[in-house]
Amino acid sequence: MIMKFSKLLSTACAAAIAASALAIPASAEDVSYHAYLGVQSASYTFRNAWNDATYGQGITSDDGMVYFDQLTGWENPGNIAVSKGGVFTDAEITGDGTYSVSVTDFDFGEDESLNLLFVSTDIPLDAGITISDVKVIMDGSTKYTFDEAYLSPDEKEYVSPMCINIWNEDLGKQDGLFGYMMPTDSIELQFTVSGTGVEAETTEAAAEEVTEETTEEVTEAETTEEVTEAETEAETEAAETEAAETEAAAADTQPAEESSSSNVGVIIAIVAAVVVVAVVVVVVVKKKN
């Protein structure tokens, strides 16, 4: 029991040491940012930046429409806002690595081009974090890659890489930087984040691996201990039963009519007791081993 307890304690200590070695530095513990896909088509079906005051995150119409959770279009006459579908996949940025944001199940109607396509983040411009390798992927095919992200000059507070903006001279007001057919199934923007001070994905994977290995070792040790205890209890019961049967058999052979029966009984009892003690000692020694 002592040896197995020591083994379990050693395993737990090893896991604690490994976990502390993989712990994220205090300066990087609060790394938690978010990224969203922003888009606008030729007919102004859109999803604006998350911090847009009119249609951004958390803004709801009078009839309960949550603009940021869908593509919003317009129905004439009256320019009534209507849902154009759209299933968005956002990204939580927890460290350096590659992330992507996307939209599927959309309805751009008869539109043949996009006015805007961008990544909207809540990363402050002064956070020292950079974004690079921005890939424009439409219907599963990469159309263009920005080696260095082109940040929106109109966004004064947060990092917002632009990919398409028909009103921006740098992105190609006339012909654009790259040709594409209007997507029908999916739009994805993939990008690489650096400068957070932590490799979040690598650290998490290593921590999970250590946890799984430790759990398996402890479970195996507990199972072995349970089996050993069960075997020891069974052996002890068998030894006691055997001793009892020996004592009973000896008692049956004792002559009842002889005057020396009391002395013989005492001797037999002593012998039986010695046998019981010896069996118990053997069991205890075996259990310790």
Side-chain angles (χ1 to χ4, degrees):
M1 294 292 291
I2 294 176
M3 293 178 64
K4 293 190 179 298
F5 177 79
S6 299
K7 182 178 179 181
L8 288 173
L9 183 59
S10 299
T11 302
C13 291
I17 293 172
S20 64
L22 293 170
I24 297 175
S27 60
E29 284 182 352
D30 296 329
V31 173
S32 179
Y33 299 109
H34 304 84
Y36 312 91
L37 183 141
V39 64
Q40 182 188 109
S41 71
S43 65
Y44 300 100
T45 295
F46 68 94
R47 188 202 202 192
N48 282 0
W50 72 272
N51 58 328
D52 182 81
T54 306
Y55 299 104
Q57 191 175 52
I59 306 299
T60 305
S61 68
D62 293 339
D63 60 357
M65 180 182 296
V66 183
Y67 300 111
F68 197 69
D69 292 348
Q70 64 179 28
L71 281 171
T72 301
W74 304 101
E75 184 178 276
N76 289 318
N79 284 336
I80 300 173
V82 295
S83 173
K84 292 290 186 176
V87 176
F88 290 93
T89 299
D90 306 321
E92 181 178 3
I93 299 170
T94 57
D96 291 358
T98 299
Y99 301 86
S100 66
V101 292
S102 63
V103 60
T104 59
D105 297 333
F106 44 73
D107 177 15
F108 287 114
E110 300 299 322
D111 289 343
E112 296 182 355
S113 63
L114 299 174
N115 294 339
L116 299 171
L117 182 62
F118 60 96
V119 180
S120 174
T121 82
D122 55 7
I123 302 174
L125 285 169
D126 60 358
I129 296 173
T130 59
I131 292 180
S132 60
D133 298 323
V134 182
K135 290 182 172 59
V136 180
I137 304 171
M138 296 184 178
D139 294 337
S141 177
T142 299
K143 301 302 181 181
Y144 193 79
T145 299
F146 294 81
D147 294 334
E148 296 182 3
Y150 179 86
L151 300 184
S152 171
D154 300 319
E155 175 56 69
K156 305 300 183 183
E157 190 172 357
Y158 300 103
V159 175
S160 181
M162 300 291 299
C163 298
I164 295 176
N165 185 338
I166 64 171
W167 298 284
N168 184 286
E169 294 289 348
D170 294 330
L171 293 180
K173 182 176 180 179
Q174 300 301 321
D175 299 325
L177 291 178
F178 54 93
Y180 63 93
M181 297 292 291
M182 193 66 177
T184 58
D185 297 320
S186 65
I187 305 174
E188 178 184 359
L189 297 178
Q190 187 181 98
F191 55 93
T192 298
V193 175
S194 58
T196 64
V198 58
E199 295 284 350
E201 296 177 353
T202 302
T203 301
E204 291 173 357
E208 290 176 357
E209 182 177 353
V210 170
T211 300
E212 291 175 356
E213 291 178 353
T214 301
T215 302
E216 291 175 356
E217 291 176 359
V218 172
T219 301
E220 181 180 356
E222 291 176 346
T223 302
T224 302
E225 182 179 1
E226 292 173 356
V227 171
T228 302
E229 290 179 351
E231 291 176 350
T232 302
E233 291 177 357
E235 291 171 354
T236 302
E237 292 177 356
E240 292 176 349
T241 301
E242 182 179 354
E245 291 175 351
T246 301
E247 183 178 358
D252 291 339
T253 58
Q254 180 179 343
E257 66 278 2
E258 295 182 3
S259 59
S260 59
S261 60
S262 58
N263 293 333
V264 174
V266 171
I267 294 173
I268 292 176
I270 293 173
V271 172
V274 171
V275 171
V276 171
V277 172
V279 171
V280 172
V281 169
V282 169
V283 170
V284 171
V285 170
K286 182 177 179 181
K287 180 179 179 181
K288 288 184 177 181
N289 290 332

